[in-house]
Amino acid sequence: ASLVQVGMVLAAAGFRKSLSPLHTRGIRVSWRGMIGSLLKPELAELIRRRDFNQLRDILCGFPAPDIAEIFTDLNADDEAVLLRILPHELATEVFEYLSVEDQENLLHALGSEQVAGILNDLPPDDRTALLQELPSAALQKLLALLTPEQRKIATELLGYPKDSIGRRMSPEYVAIQQNWTVAEVLAHLRREEHKRDAMNQLYVVDGKGHLVDFVRLRNLVVAPVQMSVLELLENQQISLRATDDQETAVATFKKYDVTMLPVVDSNEV
């Protein structure tokens, strides 16, 4: 089934980060802001000497948020040098923590191959937050660097109104059929192992893709394998519409004290 047919999941944390003034991505926290200032002369000298091994050793000793803070005190060209020498997974995580303005500047300084690698690995909601701020010509250029699968996801999210939660959805979710047994669900989860980070809540749908309810993984794994999914439902039919605004989403999360919610269209799909 396509993303539109089975819906998407929106993580509460993603909203709270995007709306909160304490959002740490791109905003300096006092002690972290000092790190870049203290290291800037040493890093600049190592970059000048092209001592990439020592640069990599220094940076890899910090977590991604701290490296992002270090980057904010450097110019875009030096940031690009440092990002290129980081392991790919760490480089992508650091990029996520930069402000949108810093991300845009860094994209201009990087080569197309590295830009493509970062954009394809960014979480879809973070990527959308970056892409929606770009001029049309720059947007089309970056979309062309995405794989067909990631380009499809990006264009779908960008197709929603700018302030709607449709632009903040994550397509990483697992849907299961209401007529399955626990054994069938477990077999399905093994096939979907690449989505393991999204398996805490499994979204139950009917044969037409309509949202029914959800099941918690912790309850499913201890249930008898012959038990029906219907016996494990949480009976919490709460969802958001893709066209809802972000304030509505935050209010819903607070009201029901949940950390993630499914997002459906007007047909409850």
Side-chain angles (χ1 to χ4, degrees):
S2 71
L3 296 176
V4 175
Q5 290 174 315
V6 297
M8 297 184 184
V9 174
L10 173 68
F15 268 110
R16 290 169 182 160
K17 284 188 295 184
S18 66
L19 298 180
S20 169
L22 296 179
H23 179 193
T24 59
R25 293 185 181 181
I27 297 181
R28 299 182 189 182
V29 183
S30 58
W31 68 269
R32 280 182 179 166
M34 297 173 58
I35 296 175
S37 298
L38 292 172
L39 288 178
K40 183 178 179 180
E42 181 179 358
L43 294 176
E45 176 61 18
L46 291 173
I47 291 173
R48 187 187 67 79
R49 287 167 25 200
R50 293 296 188 261
D51 192 344
F52 298 130
N53 288 333
Q54 189 169 352
L55 280 167
R56 185 185 298 106
D57 289 343
I58 291 173
L59 292 176
C60 288
F62 291 95
D66 289 351
I67 299 175
E69 292 295 338
I70 293 170
F71 275 33
T72 60
D73 286 311
L74 302 173
N75 61 53
D77 289 335
D78 285 347
E79 288 180 359
V81 169
L82 298 184
L83 200 70
R84 289 189 185 103
I85 65 175
L86 292 176
H88 178 73
E89 185 175 340
L90 179 58
T92 301
E93 188 177 359
V94 169
F95 190 86
E96 291 177 39
Y97 279 95
L98 296 173
S99 69
V100 170
E101 181 181 358
D102 283 342
Q103 288 177 340
E104 290 181 30
N105 293 335
L106 193 49
L107 289 179
H108 288 300
L110 290 169
S112 294
E113 183 177 349
Q114 183 138 18
V115 170
I118 290 173
L119 288 179
N120 279 293
D121 286 347
L122 274 180
D125 52 341
D126 288 334
R127 183 173 58 212
T128 303
L130 167 63
L131 295 177
Q132 69 184 8
E133 300 298 329
L134 298 176
S136 179
L139 170 62
Q140 296 305 317
K141 181 178 179 180
L142 292 183
L143 286 175
L145 296 177
L146 297 176
T147 64
E149 178 185 3
Q150 293 301 321
R151 189 182 309 122
K152 181 176 184 292
I153 292 172
T155 53
E156 282 184 359
L157 296 184
L158 288 168
Y160 290 101
K162 185 171 183 179
D163 294 324
S164 71
I165 63 170
R167 291 211 175 187
R168 299 295 297 165
M169 296 185 298
S170 169
E172 291 297 317
Y173 67 96
V174 177
I176 60 176
Q177 293 292 321
Q178 64 178 353
N179 61 346
W180 284 356
T181 63
V182 169
E184 290 173 308
V185 174
L186 293 175
H188 178 68
L189 295 184
R190 293 187 189 98
R191 293 191 294 270
E192 297 279 275
E193 60 87 21
H194 60 286
K195 295 182 180 178
R196 64 184 63 186
D197 290 339
M199 288 184 180
N200 287 335
Q201 291 186 182
L202 309 174
Y203 293 89
V204 182
V205 297
D206 64 18
K208 295 184 178 180
H210 298 126
L211 179 67
V212 175
D213 202 339
F214 75 93
V215 169
R216 298 185 192 276
L217 181 64
R218 68 185 184 214
N219 295 333
L220 182 126
V221 295
V222 297
V225 293
Q226 70 274 13
M227 180 176 284
S228 169
V229 164
L230 294 175
E231 297 180 63
L232 295 169
L233 298 182
E234 291 293 322
N235 296 314
Q236 293 186 25
Q237 297 179 338
I238 311 166
S239 62
L240 295 166
R241 294 288 176 89
T243 52
D244 287 342
D245 60 38
Q246 298 185 12
E247 288 74 16
T248 298
V250 171
T252 304
F253 283 123
K254 290 180 178 178
K255 178 179 180 180
Y256 295 103
D257 192 25
V258 293
T259 57
M260 62 174 56
L261 285 170
V263 180
V264 298
D265 62 18
S266 58
N267 296 315
E268 299 297 322
V269 174

